[in-house]
Amino acid sequence: MKGKPIISIVGTGYVGLTSAAVLANAGFKVFAVDVDSKKIEAIKQGRSHFFEGGLDSFVSKGVDSGNLIPTLAFEEGIPQSDIVFSCVGTPDKADGSPNLEYIYSAAESIAKNAKNGIIIVQKSTVPVGTGRKLIEHISKIAPKLQYSYVSNPEFLREGSALFDTLNMDRVVVGSDDKAALDRVVEVFTAVNDFAHSVDYSEFNDYRLNNVAKIAPFSEIPFVERTFKMRLESAELVKVSANAFLALKISFANSIAKLAEKTDADIVEVMNGVGSDFRIGRAFLYAGLGWGGGCFPKDVSGLISVAKSYGVSLPIMSAAVEENQSMVNHVVRKIKDSNGGISGMNIAVLGLSFKPGTSDVRKSQSIKLVNKLFEEGAVVKAFDPQAMEEAKESLNGNVKLTGSIAECVKDSDAVVIATDWNEFKEHDWKSEKINIRGDIFVDARNCLNARDLIEAGFEYMGIGR
Ligand code: UGA
């Protein structure tokens, strides 16, 4: 393999499309392969099929330059590719274990079309041990194919996917083949070099500000952020990292409950705790809990895979339990404050699992809306981006509204379920006159309590 490798990316979700767009803008020829014609059609038109700040412009520049080639056909790009990144989804099964069906079918399609010398890079999150099984499987399907297999877990966050892909806090690669590891690292080194020339002004401000505060790694030389390791180690890094972050949030939420009983304020507590450099402030923000397409799946997957090896992880089961309790915790707050919930008009602001994304997978906010409805409340909801996506998972009787003002009008209680900037910046003092009741639950601790109290609300946060 000489010069710049030709790359294929299989799967155009958050990871696949963002990686493809970045690599194409960094000068690589990239085939973006997906079996879903709607997704490929959107990319051909120069846009992403999901909302992610700044991504559309990267996709359109990539397509216009001819470097980003969206295709439904494995036969088009794979035979020319030197490196293929597999970025397909791994949804969880009913028992909590990950469904690896798409991983296997992608590997088969790659193996059938690949040329000798190809490097197959697994970016999808898979249970430890999957790579080894896939290597065996590929060798059965394409016994003559000479290839290398590399695990390269992805750490980007939705809502700042593009920024994270350009500014990698670390690159983790694992394989038996050292030369393949070097080759994959070369690709990311090129991305890191390209990242210096990017104009970040078009990125989603909220996430960028947040990232900038907690991402001092740009000072660290790229080589020191690159970790080459065993295949199985790389696989385990990814799920362990997500599990630990989920654990941190659940820990903060547990302490928040104690803070509520003792007059302590969880934000002050975690400011103090998190300033210990060994602990760190990030992911100690108490609130409604964690959701999304990754944490819930990865934590339950880790528990179930560990079990299959005869290892129990009670610490992670406790984190899940703690997380599940947060929806009821908020419902109870409203109940206690109002003396019951049935018949109350409640406005819920935020449906996505976090701000900056339209993704509602395993969203705690959606669970809260449905729970309030079940308890007999009349629920209205609003989200700046996720209304379409939310429809399917919401109870049909929940009224979706077109704005914050419409949502909160005449309500007895307002709940902030997702910490979108729009809600933080809203003029709650002027809005108060349109709201019937006083109850204001800031379930993401994202507003200034004093401002709300001065505006005439009975402010309740989580752990404060
Ligand atoms: C997560 C990881 O942060 C990424 O590093 C990883 O690459 C990704 O999963 C993945 O496996 O693909 P993401 O799911 O986009 O990223 O979301 P996060 O920003 O981690 O937030 C997860 C949930 O935790 C959200 O519901 C958020 O509201 C909640 N959260 C986060 C808190 O409740 N408190 C906090 O302090 C931080």
Side-chain angles (χ1 to χ4, degrees):
M1 203 193 300
K2 282 193 198 108
K4 258 195 168 149
I6 295 179
I7 294 173
S8 277
I9 306 255
V10 178
T12 62
Y14 286 93
V15 173
L17 184 55
T18 311
S19 305
V22 165
L23 287 166
N25 280 268
F28 290 91
K29 182 174 178 179
V30 186
F31 293 90
V33 192
D34 205 294
V35 292
D36 187 331
S37 56
K38 275 199 204 129
K39 293 179 181 170
I40 291 298
E41 208 34 59
I43 303 167
K44 278 188 178 155
Q45 287 166 15
R47 60 186 172 80
S48 161
H49 52 87
F50 52 87
F51 170 74
E52 185 62 53
L55 186 56
D56 279 354
S57 123
F58 261 63
V59 170
S60 77
K61 276 189 256 170
V63 172
D64 289 349
S65 71
N67 273 354
L68 179 58
I69 307 157
T71 176
L72 285 165
F74 281 83
E75 304 80 28
E76 188 182 348
I78 307 287
Q80 327 176 27
S81 294
D82 304 299
I83 303 181
V84 183
F85 290 91
S86 174
C87 305
V88 298
T90 51
D92 49 350
K93 295 197 257 185
D95 66 355
S97 65
N99 177 356
L100 299 179
E101 192 187 323
Y102 306 118
I103 297 281
Y104 274 83
S105 66
E108 286 172 18
S109 304
I110 294 166
K112 281 178 190 156
N113 291 287
K115 64 178 180 188
N116 279 337
I118 192 161
I119 303 175
I120 301 176
V121 185
Q122 189 62 258
K123 258 206 173 298
S124 306
T125 303
V126 292
V128 57
T130 304
R132 200 62 65 193
K133 289 182 195 148
L134 270 175
I135 291 171
E136 267 176 41
H137 189 68
I138 293 170
S139 300
K140 271 188 207 141
I141 290 188
K144 293 198 181 124
L145 181 68
Q146 290 162 19
Y147 70 97
S148 311
Y149 183 92
V150 174
S151 165
N152 165 228
E154 175 57 56
F155 302 104
L156 69 75
R157 292 157 296 177
E158 288 178 29
S160 58
L162 194 54
F163 183 86
D164 290 351
T165 304
L166 288 160
N167 298 275
M168 293 156 277
D169 60 348
R170 73 261 205 222
V171 168
V172 169
V173 281
S175 179
D176 300 337
D177 182 343
K178 301 260 179 305
L181 288 184
D182 292 342
R183 199 70 184 135
V184 174
V185 168
E186 276 170 27
V187 171
F188 290 116
T189 308
V191 169
N192 185 59
D193 294 342
F194 163 70
H196 296 297
S197 64
V198 171
D199 171 11
Y200 291 97
S201 59
E202 53 187 288
F203 285 64
N204 179 322
D205 286 344
Y206 167 77
R207 297 312 299 179
L208 192 55
N209 291 339
N210 222 16
V211 166
K213 277 189 209 132
I214 58 168
F217 50 81
S218 50
E219 306 290 318
I220 304 169
F222 189 65
V223 63
E224 286 172 30
R225 288 182 268 143
T226 303
F227 300 91
K228 299 176 188 171
M229 57 184 76
R230 292 171 187 216
L231 171 54
E232 284 76 7
S233 302
E235 289 175 335
L236 200 49
V237 165
K238 166 69 196 209
V239 277
S240 308
N242 274 0
F244 188 74
L245 292 171
L247 201 59
K248 275 188 99 175
I249 302 167
S250 282
F251 174 78
N253 284 339
S254 305
I255 303 296
K257 288 177 185 161
L258 179 60
E260 280 176 10
K261 298 274 184 206
T262 60
D263 253 3
D265 180 322
I266 192 66
V267 178
E268 293 173 356
V269 174
M270 288 306 157
N271 284 343
V273 171
S275 64
D276 181 331
F277 77 94
R278 295 166 303 176
I279 298 173
R281 181 66 177 94
F283 282 73
L284 286 177
Y285 293 90
L288 190 53
W290 38 273
C294 305
F295 283 3
K297 171 172 72 74
D298 289 354
V299 171
S300 59
L302 181 63
I303 294 170
S304 104
V305 168
K307 200 170 161 199
S308 75
Y309 285 97
V311 176
S312 77
L313 295 175
I315 193 169
M316 292 319 306
S317 309
V320 172
E321 208 178 298
E322 178 58 51
N323 199 48
Q324 282 165 350
S325 77
M326 293 315 293
V327 168
N328 278 337
H329 186 70
V330 169
V331 171
R332 207 170 311 119
K333 269 178 190 286
I334 302 172
K335 245 186 204 168
D336 291 350
S337 171
N338 189 59
I341 226 166
S342 185
M344 263 183 103
N345 285 292
I346 302 180
V348 178
L349 294 172
L351 295 167
S352 57
F353 83 97
K354 68 172 188 179
T357 177
S358 57
D359 195 344
V360 296
R361 284 176 293 171
K362 300 270 160 66
S363 166
Q364 294 282 97
S365 315
I366 300 258
K367 285 185 194 152
L368 175 69
V369 169
N370 286 338
K371 182 74 188 163
L372 289 169
F373 183 80
E374 262 171 56
E375 297 272 335
V378 179
V379 188
K380 285 193 280 179
F382 170 71
D383 188 284
Q385 289 292 341
M387 306 283 269
E388 253 333 285
E389 278 90 338
K391 273 182 192 156
E392 244 178 61
S393 11
L394 282 176
N395 184 301
N397 290 316
V398 170
K399 187 169 184 258
L400 289 173
T401 58
S403 65
I404 299 176
E406 193 192 336
C407 185
V408 300
K409 192 167 175 9
D410 296 331
S411 58
D412 301 309
V414 174
V415 184
I416 305 283
T418 310
D419 41 338
W420 281 97
N421 260 354
E422 283 82 342
F423 308 150
K424 294 196 244 177
E425 286 159 5
H426 194 71
D427 182 353
W428 290 107
K429 200 171 177 189
S430 312
E431 193 70 74
K432 176 72 180 76
I433 194 161
N434 303 315
I435 302 170
R436 192 161 54 205
D438 298 339
I439 299 172
F440 195 110
V441 184
D442 176 8
R444 294 289 175 183
N445 291 346
C446 63
L447 292 168
N448 186 320
R450 200 175 308 143
D451 292 349
L452 272 288
I453 294 164
E454 272 170 24
F457 289 103
E458 182 199 338
Y459 175 90
M460 286 178 278
I462 303 289
R464 51 199 328 215

PDB file of all heavy atoms in Angstrom, residues 330-340 344 412-413 438-441 458-460:
ATOM      1  N   VAL A 330     -38.157  12.444  40.096  1.00  0.00           N
ATOM      2  CA  VAL A 330     -38.708  13.727  39.634  1.00  0.00           C
ATOM      3  C   VAL A 330     -40.230  13.734  39.762  1.00  0.00           C
ATOM      4  O   VAL A 330     -40.829  14.722  40.203  1.00  0.00           O
ATOM      5  CB  VAL A 330     -38.259  14.006  38.171  1.00  0.00           C
ATOM      6  CG1 VAL A 330     -39.024  15.173  37.574  1.00  0.00           C
ATOM      7  CG2 VAL A 330     -36.754  14.271  38.124  1.00  0.00           C
ATOM      8  N   VAL A 331     -40.842  12.606  39.415  1.00  0.00           N
ATOM      9  CA  VAL A 331     -42.306  12.519  39.520  1.00  0.00           C
ATOM     10  C   VAL A 331     -42.720  12.750  40.979  1.00  0.00           C
ATOM     11  O   VAL A 331     -43.663  13.500  41.276  1.00  0.00           O
ATOM     12  CB  VAL A 331     -42.811  11.144  39.000  1.00  0.00           C
ATOM     13  CG1 VAL A 331     -44.295  10.953  39.294  1.00  0.00           C
ATOM     14  CG2 VAL A 331     -42.543  11.009  37.511  1.00  0.00           C
ATOM     15  N   ARG A 332     -41.973  12.135  41.892  1.00  0.00           N
ATOM     16  CA  ARG A 332     -42.289  12.267  43.322  1.00  0.00           C
ATOM     17  C   ARG A 332     -42.167  13.722  43.793  1.00  0.00           C
ATOM     18  O   ARG A 332     -42.964  14.208  44.572  1.00  0.00           O
ATOM     19  CB  ARG A 332     -41.383  11.361  44.154  1.00  0.00           C
ATOM     20  CG  ARG A 332     -42.029  10.935  45.460  1.00  0.00           C
ATOM     21  CD  ARG A 332     -41.239   9.856  46.177  1.00  0.00           C
ATOM     22  NE  ARG A 332     -40.864   8.752  45.302  1.00  0.00           N
ATOM     23  CZ  ARG A 332     -39.606   8.387  45.034  1.00  0.00           C
ATOM     24  NH1 ARG A 332     -38.585   9.044  45.548  1.00  0.00           N
ATOM     25  NH2 ARG A 332     -39.357   7.354  44.240  1.00  0.00           N
ATOM     26  N   LYS A 333     -41.179  14.418  43.280  1.00  0.00           N
ATOM     27  CA  LYS A 333     -40.988  15.832  43.650  1.00  0.00           C
ATOM     28  C   LYS A 333     -42.246  16.644  43.323  1.00  0.00           C
ATOM     29  O   LYS A 333     -42.719  17.437  44.125  1.00  0.00           O
ATOM     30  CB  LYS A 333     -39.832  16.437  42.839  1.00  0.00           C
ATOM     31  CG  LYS A 333     -38.480  16.345  43.490  1.00  0.00           C
ATOM     32  CD  LYS A 333     -37.446  16.947  42.540  1.00  0.00           C
ATOM     33  CE  LYS A 333     -36.055  16.650  43.029  1.00  0.00           C
ATOM     34  NZ  LYS A 333     -35.657  17.437  44.184  1.00  0.00           N
ATOM     35  N   ILE A 334     -42.760  16.405  42.106  1.00  0.00           N
ATOM     36  CA  ILE A 334     -43.943  17.167  41.673  1.00  0.00           C
ATOM     37  C   ILE A 334     -45.135  16.763  42.530  1.00  0.00           C
ATOM     38  O   ILE A 334     -45.884  17.620  43.021  1.00  0.00           O
ATOM     39  CB  ILE A 334     -44.246  16.908  40.170  1.00  0.00           C
ATOM     40  CG1 ILE A 334     -43.026  17.284  39.331  1.00  0.00           C
ATOM     41  CG2 ILE A 334     -45.480  17.673  39.726  1.00  0.00           C
ATOM     42  CD1 ILE A 334     -43.117  16.897  37.860  1.00  0.00           C
ATOM     43  N   LYS A 335     -45.269  15.463  42.744  1.00  0.00           N
ATOM     44  CA  LYS A 335     -46.385  14.937  43.548  1.00  0.00           C
ATOM     45  C   LYS A 335     -46.377  15.564  44.934  1.00  0.00           C
ATOM     46  O   LYS A 335     -47.392  16.070  45.411  1.00  0.00           O
ATOM     47  CB  LYS A 335     -46.210  13.429  43.702  1.00  0.00           C
ATOM     48  CG  LYS A 335     -47.280  12.607  43.039  1.00  0.00           C
ATOM     49  CD  LYS A 335     -47.066  11.155  43.404  1.00  0.00           C
ATOM     50  CE  LYS A 335     -47.676  10.271  42.357  1.00  0.00           C
ATOM     51  NZ  LYS A 335     -47.273   8.895  42.478  1.00  0.00           N
ATOM     52  N   ASP A 336     -45.202  15.510  45.590  1.00  0.00           N
ATOM     53  CA  ASP A 336     -45.092  16.015  46.960  1.00  0.00           C
ATOM     54  C   ASP A 336     -45.401  17.502  47.020  1.00  0.00           C
ATOM     55  O   ASP A 336     -46.045  17.983  47.954  1.00  0.00           O
ATOM     56  CB  ASP A 336     -43.678  15.774  47.520  1.00  0.00           C
ATOM     57  CG  ASP A 336     -43.430  14.291  47.744  1.00  0.00           C
ATOM     58  OD1 ASP A 336     -44.406  13.515  47.642  1.00  0.00           O
ATOM     59  OD2 ASP A 336     -42.266  13.910  48.005  1.00  0.00           O
ATOM     60  N   SER A 337     -44.958  18.211  46.003  1.00  0.00           N
ATOM     61  CA  SER A 337     -45.118  19.657  46.041  1.00  0.00           C
ATOM     62  C   SER A 337     -46.562  20.065  45.781  1.00  0.00           C
ATOM     63  O   SER A 337     -47.061  21.035  46.339  1.00  0.00           O
ATOM     64  CB  SER A 337     -44.176  20.247  44.998  1.00  0.00           C
ATOM     65  OG  SER A 337     -44.412  21.567  44.844  1.00  0.00           O
ATOM     66  N   ASN A 338     -47.234  19.292  44.928  1.00  0.00           N
ATOM     67  CA  ASN A 338     -48.601  19.654  44.523  1.00  0.00           C
ATOM     68  C   ASN A 338     -49.663  18.906  45.324  1.00  0.00           C
ATOM     69  O   ASN A 338     -50.831  19.264  45.277  1.00  0.00           O
ATOM     70  CB  ASN A 338     -48.751  19.331  43.025  1.00  0.00           C
ATOM     71  CG  ASN A 338     -50.034  19.847  42.448  1.00  0.00           C
ATOM     72  OD1 ASN A 338     -50.276  21.038  42.484  1.00  0.00           O
ATOM     73  ND2 ASN A 338     -50.856  18.946  41.926  1.00  0.00           N
ATOM     74  N   GLY A 339     -49.224  17.852  46.037  1.00  0.00           N
ATOM     75  CA  GLY A 339     -50.181  17.022  46.767  1.00  0.00           C
ATOM     76  C   GLY A 339     -50.930  16.084  45.829  1.00  0.00           C
ATOM     77  O   GLY A 339     -52.139  15.887  45.994  1.00  0.00           O
ATOM     78  N   GLY A 340     -50.252  15.558  44.827  1.00  0.00           N
ATOM     79  CA  GLY A 340     -50.877  14.638  43.845  1.00  0.00           C
ATOM     80  C   GLY A 340     -50.587  15.143  42.450  1.00  0.00           C
ATOM     81  O   GLY A 340     -50.198  16.299  42.281  1.00  0.00           O
ATOM     82  N   MET A 344     -53.097  17.287  36.717  1.00  0.00           N
ATOM     83  CA  MET A 344     -52.220  18.466  36.606  1.00  0.00           C
ATOM     84  C   MET A 344     -51.828  18.712  35.152  1.00  0.00           C
ATOM     85  O   MET A 344     -51.601  17.767  34.407  1.00  0.00           O
ATOM     86  CB  MET A 344     -50.901  18.186  37.357  1.00  0.00           C
ATOM     87  CG  MET A 344     -50.817  18.704  38.735  1.00  0.00           C
ATOM     88  SD  MET A 344     -49.147  18.327  39.354  1.00  0.00           S
ATOM     89  CE  MET A 344     -48.355  19.924  39.221  1.00  0.00           C
ATOM     90  N   ASP A 412     -49.509  23.930  35.168  1.00  0.00           N
ATOM     91  CA  ASP A 412     -49.385  23.980  36.630  1.00  0.00           C
ATOM     92  C   ASP A 412     -47.940  23.768  37.059  1.00  0.00           C
ATOM     93  O   ASP A 412     -47.557  24.152  38.157  1.00  0.00           O
ATOM     94  CB  ASP A 412     -50.259  22.881  37.267  1.00  0.00           C
ATOM     95  CG  ASP A 412     -51.718  23.050  36.886  1.00  0.00           C
ATOM     96  OD1 ASP A 412     -52.238  24.167  37.041  1.00  0.00           O
ATOM     97  OD2 ASP A 412     -52.323  22.067  36.405  1.00  0.00           O
ATOM     98  N   ALA A 413     -47.191  23.095  36.205  1.00  0.00           N
ATOM     99  CA  ALA A 413     -45.781  22.838  36.526  1.00  0.00           C
ATOM    100  C   ALA A 413     -44.973  22.796  35.241  1.00  0.00           C
ATOM    101  O   ALA A 413     -45.460  22.363  34.204  1.00  0.00           O
ATOM    102  CB  ALA A 413     -45.646  21.502  37.260  1.00  0.00           C
ATOM    103  N   ASP A 438     -46.780  27.408  40.104  1.00  0.00           N
ATOM    104  CA  ASP A 438     -45.464  27.925  40.506  1.00  0.00           C
ATOM    105  C   ASP A 438     -44.359  26.869  40.389  1.00  0.00           C
ATOM    106  O   ASP A 438     -43.181  27.191  40.471  1.00  0.00           O
ATOM    107  CB  ASP A 438     -45.491  28.348  41.984  1.00  0.00           C
ATOM    108  CG  ASP A 438     -46.477  29.471  42.220  1.00  0.00           C
ATOM    109  OD1 ASP A 438     -46.805  30.156  41.230  1.00  0.00           O
ATOM    110  OD2 ASP A 438     -46.912  29.633  43.381  1.00  0.00           O
ATOM    111  N   ILE A 439     -44.777  25.604  40.237  1.00  0.00           N
ATOM    112  CA  ILE A 439     -43.774  24.533  40.330  1.00  0.00           C
ATOM    113  C   ILE A 439     -42.855  24.526  39.108  1.00  0.00           C
ATOM    114  O   ILE A 439     -43.326  24.469  37.961  1.00  0.00           O
ATOM    115  CB  ILE A 439     -44.474  23.154  40.465  1.00  0.00           C
ATOM    116  CG1 ILE A 439     -45.321  23.133  41.733  1.00  0.00           C
ATOM    117  CG2 ILE A 439     -43.458  22.018  40.457  1.00  0.00           C
ATOM    118  CD1 ILE A 439     -46.196  21.895  41.875  1.00  0.00           C
ATOM    119  N   PHE A 440     -41.565  24.593  39.377  1.00  0.00           N
ATOM    120  CA  PHE A 440     -40.580  24.578  38.286  1.00  0.00           C
ATOM    121  C   PHE A 440     -39.503  23.563  38.646  1.00  0.00           C
ATOM    122  O   PHE A 440     -38.740  23.759  39.585  1.00  0.00           O
ATOM    123  CB  PHE A 440     -39.955  25.972  38.137  1.00  0.00           C
ATOM    124  CG  PHE A 440     -39.217  26.152  36.830  1.00  0.00           C
ATOM    125  CD1 PHE A 440     -39.725  26.986  35.839  1.00  0.00           C
ATOM    126  CD2 PHE A 440     -38.016  25.497  36.599  1.00  0.00           C
ATOM    127  CE1 PHE A 440     -39.050  27.146  34.621  1.00  0.00           C
ATOM    128  CE2 PHE A 440     -37.338  25.655  35.398  1.00  0.00           C
ATOM    129  CZ  PHE A 440     -37.845  26.484  34.404  1.00  0.00           C
ATOM    130  N   VAL A 441     -39.467  22.432  37.926  1.00  0.00           N
ATOM    131  CA  VAL A 441     -38.449  21.415  38.221  1.00  0.00           C
ATOM    132  C   VAL A 441     -37.345  21.502  37.165  1.00  0.00           C
ATOM    133  O   VAL A 441     -37.587  21.250  35.981  1.00  0.00           O
ATOM    134  CB  VAL A 441     -39.049  19.984  38.228  1.00  0.00           C
ATOM    135  CG1 VAL A 441     -37.976  18.974  38.627  1.00  0.00           C
ATOM    136  CG2 VAL A 441     -40.227  19.906  39.183  1.00  0.00           C
ATOM    137  N   GLU A 458     -41.564  28.196  42.407  1.00  0.00           N
ATOM    138  CA  GLU A 458     -41.045  27.318  43.462  1.00  0.00           C
ATOM    139  C   GLU A 458     -40.025  26.431  42.748  1.00  0.00           C
ATOM    140  O   GLU A 458     -40.391  25.470  42.069  1.00  0.00           O
ATOM    141  CB  GLU A 458     -42.192  26.476  44.027  1.00  0.00           C
ATOM    142  CG  GLU A 458     -41.773  25.566  45.162  1.00  0.00           C
ATOM    143  CD  GLU A 458     -42.780  24.436  45.401  1.00  0.00           C
ATOM    144  OE1 GLU A 458     -43.956  24.585  45.011  1.00  0.00           O
ATOM    145  OE2 GLU A 458     -42.370  23.404  45.952  1.00  0.00           O
ATOM    146  N   TYR A 459     -38.753  26.784  42.848  1.00  0.00           N
ATOM    147  CA  TYR A 459     -37.699  26.095  42.070  1.00  0.00           C
ATOM    148  C   TYR A 459     -37.258  24.820  42.765  1.00  0.00           C
ATOM    149  O   TYR A 459     -36.978  24.807  43.960  1.00  0.00           O
ATOM    150  CB  TYR A 459     -36.489  27.022  41.905  1.00  0.00           C
ATOM    151  CG  TYR A 459     -35.301  26.360  41.232  1.00  0.00           C
ATOM    152  CD1 TYR A 459     -35.149  26.397  39.849  1.00  0.00           C
ATOM    153  CD2 TYR A 459     -34.323  25.692  41.979  1.00  0.00           C
ATOM    154  CE1 TYR A 459     -34.064  25.786  39.221  1.00  0.00           C
ATOM    155  CE2 TYR A 459     -33.242  25.083  41.364  1.00  0.00           C
ATOM    156  CZ  TYR A 459     -33.118  25.127  39.989  1.00  0.00           C
ATOM    157  OH  TYR A 459     -32.048  24.520  39.383  1.00  0.00           O
ATOM    158  N   MET A 460     -37.192  23.720  41.978  1.00  0.00           N
ATOM    159  CA  MET A 460     -36.631  22.470  42.502  1.00  0.00           C
ATOM    160  C   MET A 460     -35.623  21.929  41.508  1.00  0.00           C
ATOM    161  O   MET A 460     -35.956  21.770  40.326  1.00  0.00           O
ATOM    162  CB  MET A 460     -37.739  21.426  42.694  1.00  0.00           C
ATOM    163  CG  MET A 460     -38.630  21.701  43.881  1.00  0.00           C
ATOM    164  SD  MET A 460     -39.934  20.458  43.976  1.00  0.00           S
ATOM    165  CE  MET A 460     -41.091  21.105  42.810  1.00  0.00           C
TER     166      MET A 460
END
